[in-house]
């Protein structure tokens, strides 16, 4: 039975025999200090030893390669996890920055003198815009239930947004200062006698004029509500971007960049 197995597995049998002979020769050589001369057997040993050594080296390299590959996979997964964690942190940081900006705007509004003088603030979200011409009006998610009434003033940070024109239990309609129906009295910051009027236009810009056409006004001058009329004194309207004298109207005319960015507004504060 054993001889039959050897015949069926000739290659394996030869390999095992050569391996046994190689080991035996190695043991004898080591035992005798390498002084034994085995003639043909020694040459046979040398023939066997070289391929065996090469085979062992290849096996070692392949095994090492397998472990190195697994190590690279593990390191890759670790780097991927770290990358996802960094992305998450960046997203949270961006979100926190936006929230911080809104809190700073609200804090600025709460520090106004006209708010400290016994008035309260209600914050609200913009929930609806007029798609056809949204500058005409928009809707917020707070109403009479929160104490809001018609003609209450709406601000964003330190800038004037507009006024409440209609309200219900849980919503209110706001007409912004860039609407063409808006007419607001102002003075130039740092002066007490340079008064004027700004008004909205049909294309959502702000223009205005000075009541005294002899005053000098410069680009960059800041305009503040004067307190004459509906709007309390001290709310920022915007900065002058252009001024010129209109000889037909005999007025010093202005173009103004609003303090509030109406293109991205999503939260407001209502003074009640």
């Amino acid at each position: 039975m054993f001889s039959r197995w050897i015949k069926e597995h000739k290659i394996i049998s030869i390999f095992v025999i050569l391996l046994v002979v190689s080991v035996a020769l190695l043991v004898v050589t080591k035992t005798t200090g390498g002084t034994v001369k085995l003639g043909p057997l020694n040459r046979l040993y040398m023939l066997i030893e070289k391929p065996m050594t090469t085979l062992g080296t290849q096996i070692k390299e392949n095994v090492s390669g397998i472990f190195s590959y697994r190590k690279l996979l593990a390191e890759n997964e670790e780097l991927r996890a770290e990358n996802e964690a960094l992305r998450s942190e960046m997203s949270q940081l961006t979100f926190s920055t936006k929230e911080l900006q809104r809190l700073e705007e609200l804090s600025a509004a709460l520090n106004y003198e006209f708010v400290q003088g016994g008035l309260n603030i209600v914050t609200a979200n913009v929930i609806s815009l007029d798609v056809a011409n949204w500058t005409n009006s928009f809707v917020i998610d707070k109403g009479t239930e929160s104490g809001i009434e018609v003609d209450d003033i709406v601000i964003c940070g330190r800038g004037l947004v507009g006024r409440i024109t209609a309200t219900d239990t849980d919503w209110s309609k706001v007409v912004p200062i860039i609407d063409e129906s808006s007419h607001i009295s102002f003075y130039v910051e740092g002066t007490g006698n340079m008064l004027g009027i700004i008004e909205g236009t049909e294309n959502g810009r702000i223009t205005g004029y000075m009541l005294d056409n002899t005053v000098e006004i410069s680009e960059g001058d800041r305009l503040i509500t004067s307190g004459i009329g509906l709007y309390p004194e001290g709310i920022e309207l915007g900065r002058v971007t252009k001024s010129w004298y209109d000889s037909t109207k005999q007025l010093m005319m202005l173009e103004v960049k609003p303090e509030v960015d109406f293109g991205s507004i999503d939260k407001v504060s209502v003074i009640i």
Side-chain angles (χ1 to χ4, degrees):
M1 183 175 180
F2 181 70
S3 59
R4 180 182 178 184
W5 185 90
I6 293 176
K7 291 180 180 179
E8 292 178 352
H9 302 85
K10 291 181 179 180
I11 296 176
I12 297 176
S13 301
I14 294 171
F15 178 79
V16 171
I17 293 170
L18 292 175
L19 180 62
V20 171
V21 172
S22 177
V23 171
L25 291 173
L26 179 64
V27 170
V28 172
T29 302
K30 295 295 182 180
T31 304
T32 59
T35 58
V36 177
K37 295 182 179 180
L38 299 178
L41 290 179
N42 190 42
R43 288 194 295 273
L44 176 62
Y45 168 74
M46 295 301 295
L47 291 174
I48 296 174
E49 188 270 342
K50 184 175 181 180
M52 291 296 293
T53 302
T54 302
L55 178 62
T57 302
Q58 290 177 348
I59 294 174
K60 180 180 179 182
E61 290 176 350
N62 289 335
V63 172
S64 176
I66 292 172
F67 282 104
S68 297
Y69 177 70
R70 290 180 178 177
K71 183 179 179 181
L72 286 174
L73 286 179
E75 291 176 351
N76 186 46
E77 289 299 323
E78 184 178 349
L79 289 173
R80 185 179 299 175
E82 290 178 358
N83 187 37
E84 290 298 326
L86 287 174
R87 286 184 179 180
S88 177
E89 289 178 6
M90 289 179 66
S91 176
Q92 293 175 4
L93 181 60
T94 302
F95 175 78
S96 300
T97 301
K98 291 180 180 178
E99 289 300 309
L100 179 60
Q101 182 179 358
R102 289 174 179 170
L103 288 173
E104 288 176 345
E105 290 175 351
L106 179 58
S107 175
L110 293 173
N111 286 331
Y112 274 177
E113 292 182 0
F114 59 80
V115 176
Q116 292 178 343
L119 300 177
N120 296 316
I121 286 285
V122 173
T123 60
N125 299 306
V126 176
I127 58 174
S128 176
L129 304 175
D130 185 339
V131 178
N133 185 5
W134 80 270
T135 59
N136 286 338
S137 65
F138 59 88
V139 178
I140 59 176
D141 63 354
K142 296 292 176 65
T144 55
E145 201 172 59
S146 301
I148 296 176
E149 299 178 352
V150 172
D151 285 337
D152 282 345
I153 307 305
V154 183
I155 61 176
C156 181
R158 293 183 177 274
L160 179 62
V161 173
R163 61 189 177 90
I164 302 293
T165 58
T167 186
D168 204 334
T169 306
D170 56 358
W171 63 267
S172 297
K173 181 180 179 181
V174 180
V175 170
I177 63 174
I178 54 177
D179 183 78
E180 56 185 330
S181 66
S182 296
H183 301 275
I184 305 168
S185 172
F186 70 84
Y187 67 84
V188 179
E189 185 179 42
T191 71
N193 58 353
M194 294 176 62
L195 297 174
I197 303 293
I198 63 166
E199 52 193 16
T201 66
E202 61 182 6
N203 59 5
R205 295 185 300 114
I206 295 179
T207 59
Y209 57 89
M210 303 300 298
L211 296 179
D212 183 356
N213 59 15
T214 63
V215 299
E216 294 184 2
I217 189 166
S218 304
E219 180 180 338
D221 283 346
R222 188 184 295 274
L223 307 184
I224 309 293
T225 54
S226 67
I228 300 174
L230 178 65
Y231 298 95
E233 180 181 358
I235 310 177
E236 297 181 11
L237 295 167
R239 291 182 180 271
V240 176
T241 57
K242 184 180 179 182
S243 64
W244 72 98
Y245 180 75
D246 189 328
S247 57
T248 303
K249 297 179 180 180
Q250 295 186 343
L251 293 172
M252 179 64 71
M253 306 298 296
L254 309 171
E255 284 188 3
V256 181
K257 179 182 179 181
E259 178 67 23
V260 175
D261 181 4
F262 288 94
S264 62
I265 188 171
D266 60 352
K267 283 184 179 291
V268 297
S269 301
V270 183
I271 304 173
I272 61 174

